[in-house]
Structure formats: structure tokens, C-alpha cells
Amino acid sequence: MSDCIFCKIANGEIPSEFLYEDERVVAFRDLNPQAPVHVLVVPKDHHENFVDDVPAETLASMERAVAAVTRETGIAETGFRCIMNTGAAAGQTVMHLHMHVLGGAPLGEGLIPS
Ligand code: DGP
């Protein structure tokens, strides 16, 4: 999609440092980190969210990206949280599927922020 910021980042139109890249996804650090490690895993193809006809191969690449990034940043051992905000009420602000990967500090137990 021409006006989508994550399409531009994932396809190299906006130069970014990738922690992981394969033919279907990239991973890069969040602009506004909420934890010492805060990485976004983003498909190269545009899907609005997790339930927008995402091919199984893309989901598999996202899983590989999470495994690689958490290993590389040292949080595979200590633990991490994956979040996919879906829709405005859930706090999704960029309408291109992305998974937040957070770790590097205690994250608290709650699933739903107050
Ligand atoms: P969400 O609220 O789930 O849609 O999260 C969107 C995240 O994307 C938010 O944490 C900030 C991040 N973000 C937005 N624009 C950019 C950008 O241009 N570069 C990077 N690295 N992150 C961005």
C-alpha cells in the first residue's frame, strides 16, 4: 500500500536496520520502545491485521523472526512477550500487521493495562 509506513520500511523504501529479514518478513526496533528490547516483526506484504488472510508461510516466517530476534537480543532465555494489537480499540495505530516483541525487564503480570 503506497501510503503505509510499514510497507515502506519492510520493502526498503525507508532505510532501516533489520534485526531479521527473510523473503516474507522483517524485524526492526520500535521507534517508541516500551521495554529495553522492543522489536516489531512485520510482513513485507500488506495485511491489515492477524486475521486479514495472512498466508501460513508468512505466519511461519514471523515465528522464525521471533525466535531469531529473541536469541540475538538475549531475551529467549529470560522471557519475552508477543503482542498483536488488532483494531483501534486494542490500540493498533499502524494498520499493517505487526507483532511487538518485548523483553529485557520484568513486564508485569497483567494482560490488560489499566
Ligand atoms: P501499534 O500501536 O500496535 O499499532 O504499534 C505501532 C508501533 O509502531 C508503535 O509502538 C510505534 C511504532 N512505529 C510507528 N512508526 C514507526 C516508524 O516509522 N519506525 C519504527 N521503527 N517504529 C514505528
Side-chain angles (χ1 to χ4, degrees):
M1 238 168 77
S2 60
D3 62 345
C4 171
I5 184 79
F6 282 3
C7 280
K8 290 179 180 169
I9 293 175
N11 292 292
E13 199 177 322
I14 296 175
S16 305
E17 186 181 335
F18 295 148
L19 282 71
Y20 176 89
E21 180 174 18
D22 67 19
E23 66 275 27
R24 293 178 183 275
V25 311
V26 297
F28 53 89
R29 292 190 189 273
D30 195 288
L31 193 63
N32 181 26
Q34 304 298 308
V37 176
H38 186 170
V39 174
L40 300 171
V41 174
V42 178
K44 292 182 176 180
D45 287 345
H46 187 87
H47 302 281
E48 186 163 319
N49 58 47
F50 182 55
V51 288
D52 181 19
D53 285 332
V54 186
E57 294 85 353
T58 299
L59 297 173
S61 277
M62 292 181 77
E63 189 271 341
R64 276 193 287 276
V66 171
V69 160
T70 55
R71 262 197 319 269
E72 193 176 317
T73 57
I75 61 172
E77 299 274 310
T78 53
F80 56 90
R81 183 172 295 165
C82 297
I83 297 172
M84 285 192 277
N85 295 326
T86 304
Q92 185 178 5
T93 58
V94 178
M95 297 303 169
H96 178 129
L97 170 62
H98 53 281
M99 180 183 284
H100 297 259
V101 182
L102 298 139
L107 298 174
E109 294 175 7
L111 285 176
I112 302 170
S114 52

